Amino acid sequence: MSAPMNLPTAPTRKPANIDLHVGRRLRALRLLRELSQEALAERIGLTFQQIQKYEKGVNRISASRLQQFADTLNVKPQFFFDADQDPGTHGSQNALPLDLIFDRDVAAMVNAFGQITDAGIRRAIVDHIRSLAACCTEPRKADQ
């Protein structure tokens, strides 16, 4: 019997920062549009696994595929590159960090809020959320 051969393995590629950025923007936009990976994949003609790889930056998105995503999600291709606020950073206090949109609850809340047409109700909701945020961001006193 011969000893097993140690075959060389292919080096693992770390995604480039721009691939990660574009993937994060794709995911955020998909969530805002309330689409599952499967639904987006079907519209584009891909598998949901391919969408996962694009969103994680594992696979690079070609220019023609990026145009398909832009057309399907109703944005300009430049949307995927814009860095008014870099994903993963919170920028100014009033800016909405892109990484926060990755949360399904936040995306659902934004979509639902957008359907409310009464300005008074919208203001009341915002005021309520601000008061909750102020309450929850203050340090809690230790239970005695």
Side-chain angles (χ1 to χ4, degrees):
M1 266 202 196
S2 53
M5 293 177 51
N6 289 335
L7 298 174
T9 59
T12 57
R13 174 182 79 85
K14 181 180 176 192
N17 287 341
I18 189 64
D19 296 326
L20 292 170
H21 178 80
V22 169
R24 287 179 184 135
R25 304 275 301 181
L26 175 61
R27 177 174 165 78
L29 188 57
R30 176 181 61 78
L31 291 174
L32 280 174
R33 299 291 192 257
E34 295 183 327
L35 291 171
S36 65
Q37 290 177 332
E38 293 85 0
L40 180 57
E42 186 176 310
R43 291 182 183 190
I44 300 290
L46 299 170
T47 65
F48 80 90
Q49 292 94 337
Q50 189 64 39
I51 300 295
Q52 285 177 332
K53 290 178 182 179
Y54 286 148
E55 289 181 354
K56 291 179 181 178
V58 173
N59 286 3
R60 292 182 176 149
I61 303 174
S62 69
S64 59
R65 183 73 71 205
L66 195 66
Q67 184 66 57
Q68 278 185 296
F69 282 125
D71 292 343
T72 300
L73 298 169
N74 199 28
V75 295
K76 294 180 180 179
Q78 186 60 36
F79 167 85
F80 298 102
F81 298 99
D82 284 344
D84 294 340
Q85 183 167 357
D86 189 36
T89 64
H90 294 287
S92 77
Q93 192 173 14
N94 296 325
L96 178 64
L98 185 61
D99 58 344
L100 184 60
I101 297 173
F102 294 157
D103 185 305
R104 289 186 190 280
D105 291 335
V106 173
M109 186 175 63
V110 168
N111 281 307
F113 185 82
Q115 295 174 15
I116 299 170
T117 57
D118 186 292
I121 292 174
R122 289 173 69 116
R123 268 191 306 277
I125 291 170
V126 170
D127 290 343
H128 184 67
I129 291 172
R130 284 185 179 139
S131 68
L132 288 172
C135 170
C136 296
T137 56
E138 294 175 2
R140 293 184 180 198
K141 294 180 181 179
D143 291 336
Q144 307 217 349

